[in-house]
Amino acid sequence: MCGILGIVSNRAVNQDLFDGLNLLQHRGQDAAGIVTMQNGQFFLRKDNGLVSDVIRTRHMRRLQGNIGIGHVRYPTAGSASCAEAQPFYVNFPFGLTLAHNGNITNADLLKQELINQNSRHLNTLSDSEILLNVFADELYKQTQVLKQAISPMLIFAAIKGLHQRVKGAYAVVALIAGHGLVAFRDPNAIRPICFGTRKNAEHTDYMIASESIALDGTGFELARDLAPGEGIFISEEGEFYSALCADKTSYSPCMFEFVYFARPDSVMDGISIHKARQVMGRALAKNLETNWKDHDIDVIIPIPDTSRTSAWVMAGALNIEFSEGLVRNRYIARTFIMPGQSTRKKSVRQKLNPIKEEFAGKNVLLVDDSIVRGTTSEEIVRMAREAGANKVYMASAAPAVRFPNVYGIDMSNQADFIAHERTTEQVAIAIGSERLIYQSLADLTTCVHALNPAFSGFDNSCFDGVYITGDIDADAIKRLAQTRALHADQKNDDSQLDLHNDQ
């Protein structure tokens, strides 16, 4: 999972890009980057680290121009080398730079096509560089076929060609040197992307972002989300164009965005994330009330921060005391998106600390947004017992995660999931709790879908093993796990050539 951003203005965009990326920092803390454009020239700064560490004052001065894109990275495909920080750049045709959120599922096939048939060079392991080169190749084909200068029509034809070649999940922002900003979304709308405007006396500024919070925090007003398969082009002069660029579409966003990734103050695909988590809490309360009538829960405590809304609503619906019994250190990154299991486990106790009087002598229900590897759950259950809890129960606002996610979430190795080949009772034992309650997938889908009936469905693949792109089978999952393992071994390799980065 990553965060992407793009801005077209009539004034310098470096500060808005910096501020917007900080608002998207929750989507990735591994690397950050900004590219701006002035007079057809790109200015780039990217590296591993948080936005505030990567982009310093000296870099801001050099990021010149009224148009630019930015990225915060959470690595899934590729390695964690600083050479794979985004945006990526190619100089032909026109000069292109691109930032991508998602994961390309036919990356290996595309890589061979690009090298063998299109004579393009790939310098990293990243599927985002592959996506950039496919876009570059499609743009070049259109200029050759139509024998015309670049135009919105030509750009949308190139996006359509890309949709026909690329499988997987992708939300993209890109710059074409001397022309403008491009954005597009995969035909299934798996990964989020929206745009908004900021009007002044002389100009309408545009921002494209992964989440609406980036718009809110920088003075932009949300216009709408990109439709499945839609492309947008905004010229340097601020002329706005859009077109549907895919023949077959399905409005099926990733459910895990609503469960965990997105900020509660964002609106995504027409749904308030806060509201979505409220209805998840209400459904989970109904589940518990139906299936555990004689419960002895004294207090409900959320595992901060993502589960707070669901836990609060659940406590109200059940007329059980709600308490903030765990204090989060806000200077520790989100453990789920940290690379490496050992790093995640070590950071749990650094991130959370119990208020002992909220646990002592009580039967406690801990509520989390989801349980994936079980690392956090096991450690927090242990902390609750050490704080004096009489009994410790656990509830998850999401169903059991049993299948790999191949669309941009670091869930590739099925054996890492605590629910893999375990019943709910066995998972409860594994994390050390007396009882475990999962949200049912039917309840989760029903309650969120009711907030936007326009959806065709959801990408629920990590819960049900159904992959909506239609190209994922057991062999593909096995290859993906092997590739991720190989890339993990190379994650500290900084030997790749890092091109065009302003140090």
Side-chain angles (χ1 to χ4, degrees), residues 30 47-48 73 75 78-84 125 339-340 342-343 484-496:
D30 183 72
D47 204 348
N48 283 354
R73 182 181 71 180
S79 74
S81 163
C82 62
E84 300 199 359
L125 298 171
S342 60
T343 305
R484 296 276 178 87
L486 174 64
H487 292 167
D489 291 339
Q490 300 170 344
K491 69 180 180 179
N492 296 316
D493 180 9
D494 292 328
S495 63
Q496 292 169 302

Side-chain angles (χ1 to χ4, degrees), residues 438-450:
Y438 279 116
Q439 184 89 268
S440 76
L441 182 56
D443 286 347
L444 178 65
T445 302
T446 299
C447 69
V448 179
H449 191 247

